[in-house]
């Protein structure tokens, strides 16, 4: 029987967004303390004496990926749908405003898919063990999470 392991690692950011067509208060510009969490699955490294022996992937390597491709891109930034002309115009009028324009409404569900796509190409190890990004989870509030994973 083939065994697999799963691990998770996360990073947090302070990030703004709005859902322009929302029926309630989320249509207003606001922010969250987001948690961006990867879930990896695969085989642990079996190469004796290697740095990652017994690991699926080194947590510090995962942290570096999350820092570079998620945290550094969206921390203290405003994520705006490029079709939300009012918000794009308002944000562009603020000198030095860190803004990420995306081609989708920045809901937690869409952000989970976006984050998966940013991180997935960088999930690998040097030891040839089978590993994959199983899912990406985004916590928008302590009570609200969204996850995205590809269909097999």
């Amino acid at each position: 029987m083939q065994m697999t392991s799963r691990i998770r690692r996360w990073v947090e950011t302070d990030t703004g967004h709005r859902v322009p067509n929302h029926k309630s208060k989320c249509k207003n510009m606001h922010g969250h303390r987001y948690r961006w969490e990867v879930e990896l699955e695969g085989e642990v490294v079996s190469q004796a004496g290697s740095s990652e022996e017994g690991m699926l992937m080194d947590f510090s390597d995962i942290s570096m990926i999350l820092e570079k491709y998620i945290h550094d891109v969206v921390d203290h930034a405003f994520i705006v749908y490029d079709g939300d002309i009012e918000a794009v115009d308002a944000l562009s009028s603020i000198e030095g405003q860190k803004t990420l324009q995306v081609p989708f409404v920045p809901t937690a569900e869409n952000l989970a898919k976006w984050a998966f796509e940013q991180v997935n190409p960088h999930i690998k190890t040097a030891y040839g063990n089978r590993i994959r990004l199983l899912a990406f989870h985004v916590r928008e509030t302590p009570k609200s999470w969204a996850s995205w994973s590809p269909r097999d």
Side-chain angles (χ1 to χ4, degrees), residues 5 7 42-59 127 129:
S5 293
I7 58 173
E43 301 165 349
V44 298
V45 173
S46 59
Q47 184 176 343
S50 68
S51 176
E52 294 183 17
E53 182 179 3
M55 299 177 192
L56 186 57
M57 185 174 181
D58 191 308
F59 284 125
Y127 301 100
N129 60 315

Side-chain angles (χ1 to χ4, degrees), residues 63-131:
S63 289
M64 287 189 298
I65 293 167
L66 289 173
E67 287 291 323
K68 182 174 182 179
Y69 297 101
I70 302 297
H71 182 273
D72 294 351
V73 175
V74 300
D75 188 49
H76 285 83
F78 197 92
I79 302 173
V80 62
Y81 167 47
D82 59 15
D84 185 356
I85 303 306
E86 291 175 313
V88 169
D89 289 348
L91 292 163
S92 65
S93 71
I94 302 169
E95 187 175 333
Q97 172 63 46
K98 186 177 177 182
T99 303
L100 175 65
Q101 285 191 39
V102 293
F104 54 82
V105 175
T107 61
E109 294 87 344
N110 286 335
L111 290 171
K113 181 177 188 262
W114 170 83
F116 186 102
E117 292 168 347
Q118 303 311 299
V119 169
N120 191 43
H122 309 286
I123 300 299
K124 53 189 163 233
T125 68
Y127 301 100
N129 60 315
R130 187 184 60 83
I131 184 173

Side-chain angles (χ1 to χ4, degrees), residues 3 7 16 20-21 27-29 34 36 39 56 71 86 88 91 100 113 118 126-127 139 141 143:
M3 300 293 288
I7 58 173
N21 55 341
K27 67 183 171 196
N28 298 310
M29 291 184 166
Y34 282 96
W36 308 84
E39 182 177 359
L56 186 57
H71 182 273
E86 291 175 313
V88 169
L91 292 163
L100 175 65
K113 181 177 188 262
Q118 303 311 299
Y127 301 100
R139 185 194 76 183
T141 71
K143 298 189 302 183

